[in-house]
Amino acid sequence: MAGAASPCANGCGAGAPSDAEVLHLCRSLEVGTVMTLFYSKKSQRPERKTFQVKLETRQITWSRGADKIEGAIDIREIKEIRPGKTSRDFDRYQEDPAFRPDQSHCFVILYGMEFRLKTLSLQATSEDEVNMWIKGLTWLMEDTLQAATPLQIERWLRKQFYSVDRNREDRISAKDLKNMLSQVNYRVPNMRSLRERLTDLELRSSDITYGQFAQVYRSLMYSDQKTMDLPFLEACTPRAGERPELCRMSLPEFQQFLLEYQAELWAVDPLQVQEFMLDFLRDPLREIEEPYFSLEEFVTFLFSKENSVWNSQLDAVPPDTMNNPLSHYWISSSHNTYLTGDQFSSESSLEAYARCLRMGCRCIELDCWDGPDGMPVIYHGHTLTTKIKFSDVLHTIKEHAFVASEYPVILSIEDHCSIAQQRNMAQYFKKVLGDTLLTKPVDIAADGLPSPNQLKRKILIKHKKLAEGSAYEEVPSSVMYSENDISNSIKNGILYLEDPVNHVRSGIPTTLF
């Protein structure tokens, strides 16, 4: 466990904004700008909407007017922001003269909690506006993820409360509260049990304010933990007649817990413990006295990222540990990298390659099959999965290979192509990847594999060599991949069978499992 870090502790880049610039960016994004939203469905025409950042909940919202929010995304779910028209949402309108935005006026936000990300494709009014959004959101992304756990919980609670209190009246009904609790996986049996809980908390009003809602949440969340019979909770356990919210764990008691129960060597210094508690609480009103934890705050700490068993100092790979032969390391690898779903009928996507590489994967797979115009395609052969161009995949790999790491990327080639198309593959490898492609030994005199440090920013090809003297038949370009390729069949569950006697084909409704 380590103390909370500043928003740019892990590096915000060479062009990290100053405090004054951050304040200006946040104010500008909070006021918002009018931009054009391009939808993923072509049936929906691009629309101009007002986009704003809600700093209190760390969300991007959009609406036609000031009254009703039409959509929102959490900033903590943003994985990448790309300048330009780098999504298929823009491609759908290439033929429409009414929507041909300037490349420099567009950017794409990729977000979500699943492998396959969603896109928010936007056209701003100027390049300066694009730069403002990208720079501001980039800072907010890092600051949001690095925020102390209590602050993250506070933002989440406000988001849940405001999702019901749409008019910002700072009150919701008990019925609204019951519905909201069910959405956060807390089932309330009936309104009577909820009203009893509210009575226990001395909340007798028909309307519930945000402060009362937060109180209810903490009461429900920590009711079980407060009754746990654990020795280190004795300092926070309420005595007879004492109200639980008045129980405190002092700095010396917290230091004793860190030393005796968690064996945290850094906790021998009380000043470090004090700094950690203040960083965790982030409450200016509590900085004027010696910090303490309430029972709820201490339980929050126990389950927080700040109490992780992982040493965050090991997040960065020490360069001096990367001098051994490549075969001495575990390598983060991907199988069927191109697929976004199952192996039978899902979509093959360039974004799957970009996503894997940006998640730190260093070995990715390319299943290559003969394609049209003498160039291979990539898909899961003899299935209904869609195809993507081999050349497009190489361009995607080159763009994203070294964003997450400078260490080498290995391309694992599963080759089903004819010799003619393999020759074309070789030419494209050199043409697209250029100097990043490893084409000769790093050290001719070496008797082992080169190290990751020697291979920084290099792309390696893993492929089976043809045996000496192998007689491989050249496949004429006229004999294309489609002849025995079931991915060209209708993908709505119709299986075509051919009678071997009269050669009549008939379709049978089929479910593919």
Side-chain angles (χ1 to χ4, degrees):
M1 182 185 68
S6 67
C8 291
N10 294 329
C12 291
S18 63
D19 291 345
E21 190 177 3
V22 165
L23 184 61
H24 176 71
L25 285 170
C26 289
R27 284 177 176 172
S28 300
L29 296 181
E30 201 168 20
V31 171
T33 61
V34 177
M35 296 188 285
T36 303
L37 172 62
F38 285 74
Y39 294 98
S40 56
K41 295 181 180 179
K42 196 170 183 178
S43 57
Q44 290 181 279
R45 303 278 289 174
E47 292 183 288
R48 288 176 63 78
K49 298 180 184 293
T50 300
F51 287 80
Q52 296 173 286
V53 167
K54 304 296 182 184
L55 293 176
E56 198 173 21
T57 57
R58 290 300 168 101
Q59 290 177 290
I60 301 173
T61 65
W62 58 91
S63 59
R64 285 193 182 89
D67 299 332
K68 184 180 178 182
I69 293 176
E70 297 180 4
I73 62 173
D74 289 349
I75 290 177
R76 70 189 318 272
E77 291 188 9
I78 298 177
K79 299 297 185 290
E80 186 185 347
I81 307 171
R82 295 182 193 167
K85 298 186 288 186
T86 52
S87 80
R88 289 189 295 181
D89 302 340
F90 293 106
D91 297 340
R92 293 181 174 87
Y93 303 93
Q94 284 183 343
E95 305 303 322
D96 192 334
F99 299 104
R100 291 181 180 174
D102 190 310
Q103 175 88 358
S104 63
H105 292 184
C106 300
F107 66 103
V108 180
I109 298 173
L110 291 91
Y111 67 98
M113 299 302 289
E114 299 179 358
F115 177 79
R116 192 171 187 177
L117 299 178
K118 301 173 185 176
T119 58
L120 192 65
S121 302
L122 302 169
Q123 175 196 357
T125 56
S126 68
E127 188 174 351
D128 288 342
E129 191 175 287
V130 170
N131 293 334
M132 177 191 75
W133 274 95
I134 292 178
K135 196 165 189 177
L137 288 178
T138 300
W139 185 88
L140 284 169
M141 286 164 57
E142 188 161 3
D143 181 68
T144 300
L145 292 176
Q146 292 190 356
T149 297
L151 182 55
Q152 293 197 27
I153 293 174
E154 167 78 10
R155 288 168 176 165
W156 179 79
L157 286 173
R158 288 195 177 276
K159 184 185 76 170
Q160 298 301 131
F161 186 82
Y162 294 152
S163 68
V164 178
D165 179 28
R166 295 185 180 277
N167 296 326
R168 296 295 179 94
E169 297 174 344
D170 193 35
R171 63 175 184 268
I172 60 175
S173 66
K175 184 178 179 181
D176 290 333
L177 176 61
K178 179 176 180 295
N179 293 334
M180 185 192 305
L181 290 173
S182 66
Q183 295 173 12
V184 295
N185 298 325
Y186 188 92
R187 184 177 177 275
V188 180
N190 49 54
M191 285 298 298
R192 180 180 177 183
S193 63
L194 179 60
R195 293 189 186 282
E196 289 175 354
R197 171 70 73 168
L198 295 176
T199 302
D200 293 341
L201 295 172
E202 301 179 359
L203 305 178
R204 298 184 177 85
S205 173
S206 58
D207 291 331
I208 300 166
T209 65
Y210 169 75
Q212 293 169 332
F213 162 70
Q215 185 181 352
V216 171
Y217 164 81
R218 294 187 177 96
S219 171
L220 297 174
M221 188 69 177
Y222 300 119
S223 58
D224 292 333
Q225 289 92 331
K226 289 175 182 177
T227 59
M228 293 170 66
D229 186 18
L230 297 173
F232 56 77
L233 282 177
E234 289 179 358
C236 289
T237 304
R239 298 170 180 81
E242 188 177 18
R243 295 172 61 183
E245 60 269 24
L246 298 180
C247 299
R248 296 181 176 183
M249 174 178 270
S250 66
L251 189 153
E253 290 169 335
F254 182 57
Q255 182 183 21
Q256 183 182 2
F257 163 77
L258 293 176
L259 291 171
E260 293 185 8
Y261 290 94
Q262 305 217 146
E264 299 283 6
L265 299 180
W266 63 270
V268 295
D269 184 355
L271 292 178
Q272 284 195 47
V273 178
Q274 176 174 321
E275 183 181 359
F276 174 83
M277 294 179 75
L278 292 173
D279 284 340
F280 184 80
L281 294 170
R282 295 288 177 94
D283 186 351
L285 298 178
R286 302 264 289 272
E287 293 181 4
I288 59 175
E289 56 183 322
E290 184 179 274
Y292 63 86
F293 280 156
S294 67
L295 176 56
E296 290 170 354
E297 289 166 347
F298 178 66
V299 174
T300 298
F301 158 75
L302 291 179
F303 291 92
S304 71
K305 60 184 176 67
E306 287 84 356
N307 193 36
S308 172
V309 69
W310 174 254
N311 184 352
S312 60
Q313 294 179 351
L314 299 177
D315 286 341
V317 178
D320 58 354
T321 65
M322 306 299 284
N323 292 319
N324 295 314
L326 195 62
S327 55
H328 288 205
Y329 299 88
W330 294 101
I331 300 176
S332 177
S333 303
S334 166
H335 179 59
N336 291 342
T337 309
Y338 47 89
L339 291 179
T340 56
D342 62 63
Q343 299 184 61
F344 300 106
S345 60
S346 67
E347 180 185 1
S348 302
S349 170
L350 298 175
E351 280 301 325
Y353 281 99
R355 184 91 168 97
C356 277
L357 290 167
R358 284 179 169 268
M359 290 174 71
C361 191
R362 297 289 90 189
C363 180
I364 55 179
E365 185 179 30
L366 288 74
D367 284 6
C368 303
W369 298 77
D370 280 353
D373 303 322
M375 284 304 298
V377 290
I378 292 177
Y379 80 113
H380 203 247
H382 306 303
T383 67
L384 301 176
T385 56
T386 60
K387 301 179 181 69
I388 50 180
K389 293 180 180 180
F390 172 79
S391 57
D392 290 344
V393 170
L394 291 190
H395 284 289
T396 301
I397 291 171
K398 183 179 181 181
E399 180 182 353
H400 300 278
F402 303 111
V403 173
S405 169
E406 287 192 326
Y407 290 113
V409 171
I410 301 170
L411 307 185
S412 179
I413 311 299
E414 186 177 308
D415 201 339
H416 303 271
C417 294
S418 63
I419 299 299
Q421 296 217 7
Q422 287 189 42
R423 289 197 179 103
N424 292 337
M425 285 171 59
Q427 291 177 1
Y428 256 81
F429 274 128
K430 294 178 180 179
K431 178 181 177 181
V432 175
L433 301 181
D435 293 338
T436 61
L437 182 66
L438 187 70
T439 57
K440 57 184 179 181
V442 175
D443 183 359
I444 299 177
D447 56 359
L449 291 174
S451 70
N453 275 336
Q454 289 177 298
L455 295 170
K456 274 188 174 181
R457 301 192 71 84
K458 286 293 182 182
I459 296 177
L460 287 63
I461 295 177
K462 181 165 72 76
H463 189 289
K464 289 184 179 179
K465 285 186 176 181
L466 297 181
E468 288 291 337
S470 297
Y472 275 79
E473 180 182 354
E474 290 277 0
V475 180
S477 58
S478 58
V479 181
M480 292 314 301
Y481 65 100
S482 60
E483 188 172 325
N484 297 310
D485 183 0
I486 69 169
S487 67
N488 287 324
S489 61
I490 298 175
K491 298 182 182 180
N492 60 1
I494 303 298
L495 177 64
Y496 287 95
L497 299 178
E498 182 175 345
D499 189 312
V501 178
N502 56 23
H503 302 290
V504 175
R505 300 179 71 193
S506 57
I508 302 173
T510 306
T511 301
L512 182 64
F513 292 94

